[in-house]
Amino acid sequence: MGIEEKLPSGVLLTSVEKLAGYMRKSSLWPATFGLACCAIEMMAVGTPRYDLARFGMEVFRASPRQADLMIVAGRVSQKMAPVLRQIYDQMPNPKWVLSMGVCASSGGMFNNYAIVQGVDHVVPVDIYLPGCPPRPEMLMDAIIKLHDQISDTKLGAHRAKEVREAETLALTARPTAQMKGLLR
């Protein structure tokens, strides 16, 4: 006889990490960081046609202290990079970053001194969304993929260990912005 038969009906079996992951993914509050044309497509996702509210994302937050997802939409200039980092630092943990569009992900067609060649030089990125500009459906798909990542996120000391390992991997794989001389 299995454990399911021994338990009374109405008992839910899960781990605290799974329950917390479900709650976090169902109540993301995005902070907008629309810098260029990708911001128009990001705004379209908030309309009734796409109904982002069904994912628990009813309102885009203007305050970073109320947000846990930053959607960077568009090119990031060298002057805007410190502001982006400051807003990211003001967001409470846990926090996630979605790089929307080819300009935010890699600098796009702007290969010059004024544009940061990828927002990952400034903040850690969880999801990269390609396109110029990506369609609202693509943004919704990226959000669903981010939901999968969030639901598998560990808690407490396990999360801290994962974060340290990811940061170590990122430092060895790609030099930071300060090492490359992009930010002063």
Side-chain angles (χ1 to χ4, degrees):
M1 185 155 64
I3 192 166
E4 291 83 12
E5 291 88 21
K6 293 180 182 178
L7 291 173
S9 64
V11 173
L12 179 66
L13 295 177
T14 189
S15 68
V16 173
E17 287 180 341
K18 295 265 186 207
L19 183 63
Y22 176 78
M23 296 302 175
R24 282 183 179 155
K25 79 174 188 174
S26 299
S27 63
L28 281 177
W29 289 3
T32 60
F33 207 82
L35 298 169
C37 43
C38 288
I40 301 299
E41 300 296 325
M42 180 177 58
M43 287 184 262
V45 173
T47 63
R49 177 178 181 157
Y50 297 102
D51 191 25
L52 204 55
R54 63 186 153 159
F55 300 116
M57 301 172 70
E58 286 86 11
V59 179
F60 283 90
R61 302 294 171 185
S63 169
R65 300 197 191 278
Q66 298 176 348
D68 50 8
L69 169 65
M70 177 186 280
I71 302 174
V72 181
R75 60 190 179 272
V76 179
S77 67
Q78 293 289 349
K79 285 188 172 187
M80 190 57 81
V83 176
L84 174 75
R85 183 61 195 205
Q86 181 180 13
I87 290 174
Y88 176 80
D89 290 339
Q90 290 175 352
M91 292 171 58
N93 285 324
K95 52 191 167 188
W96 296 274
V97 176
L98 193 149
S99 176
M100 181 177 178
V102 71
C103 292
S105 298
S106 65
M109 64 183 155
F110 303 100
N111 189 10
N112 59 35
Y113 67 92
I115 302 297
V116 175
Q117 299 300 305
V119 74
D120 56 353
H121 291 290
V122 182
V123 295
V125 176
D126 296 295
I127 296 281
Y128 293 92
L129 178 58
C132 185
R135 298 278 308 139
E137 295 88 357
M138 294 172 67
L139 177 57
M140 291 178 63
D141 182 59
I143 290 169
I144 290 170
K145 288 179 180 166
L146 183 63
H147 281 180
D148 294 339
Q149 282 185 12
I150 292 170
S151 63
D152 294 336
T153 301
K154 303 286 184 194
L155 293 177
H158 301 292
R159 168 121 174 110
K161 180 181 173 187
E162 280 185 351
V163 168
R164 279 194 308 273
E165 289 173 357
E167 287 174 352
T168 304
L169 181 65
L171 287 175
T172 57
R174 170 180 254 170
T176 62
Q178 289 81 14
M179 291 168 58
K180 292 183 87 177
L182 291 175
L183 299 177
R184 302 195 194 285

